[in-house]
Amino acid sequence: MVLLPEDRSLPTGFVPETPPQQVVEPKDAATVMLLRDGAAGLEVFLQRRVKGMPFAGGMTVFPGGGVDQRDADTSVSWSGPDAAWWADRFDCSPELARALVCAAVRETFEESGVLLAGPDSSTVVGDTCRYAEARAGLVSRELSLAEFLADEGLVLRADLLRPWADWVTPEREPRRYDTRFFLAAMPVGQRADAVTSEAAEAYWATPEQALEDFRQGRCHLLPPTQVTLGELAECASLSAALAAERVLDKITPRLVRRNNRWHALLPGDPGFEEAK
């Protein structure tokens, strides 16, 4: 599903009329698209962020957030592709790659209660309710991911993640992120929830349903979420999505003002080279 530039409009007030005097350095971040096969086809877990948040308030998004410096802790018990493999996929240092994978696992657990870890390299935890106190400690930053996994005797399952995309916030915006997008299958026995102060609601939807909600004004999506949902809509099943071969070019949209709205242009769109 191809989205035209006019479809990639940004909410009123999202982009400041006066850009920052200097381009802001983007903060590294990770987001995870939790997937499952549902009765209507492939489904993805979505959350509507609380209005008034500093970034993307009111937007419907995938769980995720910024990298914490402790996410780079090399003591994390790890199963799956090593940091060098992820570094090659995301074109970054192994140290940053490790931090991105750990941030993806940590943020997914904090924001949805889904934990991509297990007692060993071949198992995944079931009901995560017993880790509620640790989840709160991670959110408050009283506990690091490495400490949590060590305390519980758990192994991070990097093999459950798949790299999908790399999106960078446009240079005109005052809050910028270099966000790596991951895929993961919803673990059997676990439940994704909205027990987070950052989400007003959470739900499962097919990519097609989410995009139709956007077109009808029932939800608000930022361009990376729109485009990614369109890509997922091309996948017939969970297995097809997890097996998809991806080229992870860094995508930095540029913004153009049309009909009193800001629109995101992507490389290849008419006017991209002239936009800022």
Side-chain angles (χ1 to χ4, degrees):
M1 182 179 296
V2 178
L3 292 162
L4 300 176
E6 285 69 23
D7 298 320
R8 300 192 222 104
S9 62
L10 295 166
T12 301
F14 192 84
V15 180
E17 296 303 317
T18 302
Q21 292 185 347
Q22 294 185 333
V23 175
V24 176
E25 187 70 20
K27 177 180 174 60
D28 292 303
T31 190
V32 177
M33 295 171 282
L34 291 171
L35 304 176
R36 71 182 186 186
D37 284 322
L42 181 68
E43 295 180 334
V44 60
F45 182 70
L46 297 165
Q47 295 178 319
R48 178 168 60 84
R49 288 170 65 85
V50 174
K51 289 184 178 180
M53 293 191 68
F55 184 80
M59 297 290 106
T60 294
V61 300
F62 313 114
V67 171
D68 183 290
Q69 62 180 6
R70 297 180 298 175
D71 290 329
D73 191 332
T74 58
S75 69
V76 170
S77 295
W78 183 291
S79 175
D82 62 15
W85 186 91
W86 289 99
D88 182 63
R89 298 310 183 277
F90 285 123
D91 191 22
C92 65
S93 69
E95 293 76 17
L96 176 55
R98 170 178 284 274
L100 286 166
V101 172
C102 288
V105 171
R106 176 182 54 76
E107 286 284 345
T108 301
F109 182 48
E110 288 180 14
E111 296 194 359
S112 72
V114 174
L115 181 57
L116 302 174
D120 54 52
S121 61
S122 61
T123 57
V124 185
V125 297
D127 187 350
T128 63
C129 290
R130 57 179 168 165
Y131 303 123
E133 186 176 344
R135 181 180 176 185
L138 288 168
V139 172
S140 67
R141 298 297 183 261
E142 296 175 6
L143 188 66
S144 72
L145 178 68
E147 292 168 336
F148 163 54
L149 295 177
D151 289 346
E152 299 295 339
L154 297 175
V155 177
L156 181 148
R157 292 289 305 277
D159 56 315
L160 300 181
L161 291 163
R162 301 288 187 276
W164 188 265
D166 182 356
W167 286 82
V168 183
T169 310
E171 293 185 358
R172 187 183 179 93
E173 297 188 32
R175 289 178 179 271
R176 302 187 66 221
Y177 296 90
D178 186 344
T179 304
R180 282 69 168 195
F181 284 61
F182 297 80
L183 291 186
M186 181 65 192
V188 176
Q190 294 193 34
R191 175 180 172 271
D193 61 37
V195 184
T196 169
S197 62
E198 297 186 7
E201 66 171 339
Y203 57 96
W204 290 89
T206 67
E208 295 87 348
Q209 289 170 336
L211 289 170
E212 182 60 23
D213 285 344
F214 169 70
R215 285 189 286 268
Q216 297 298 327
R218 293 189 290 264
C219 74
H220 302 288
L221 304 173
L222 292 177
T225 313
Q226 297 172 39
V227 172
T228 304
L229 286 169
E231 293 168 342
L232 290 177
E234 301 298 323
C235 298
S237 64
L238 171 62
S239 60
L242 294 175
E245 293 291 334
R246 300 286 298 171
V247 176
L248 274 62
D249 293 328
K250 199 178 290 290
I251 305 171
T252 306
R254 294 183 180 178
L255 303 180
V256 62
R257 186 81 167 171
R258 294 177 181 170
N259 300 320
N260 296 318
R261 296 288 297 273
W262 287 100
H263 300 267
L265 300 181
L266 302 182
D269 285 340
F272 175 82
E273 296 300 330
E274 296 75 30
K276 296 182 179 180

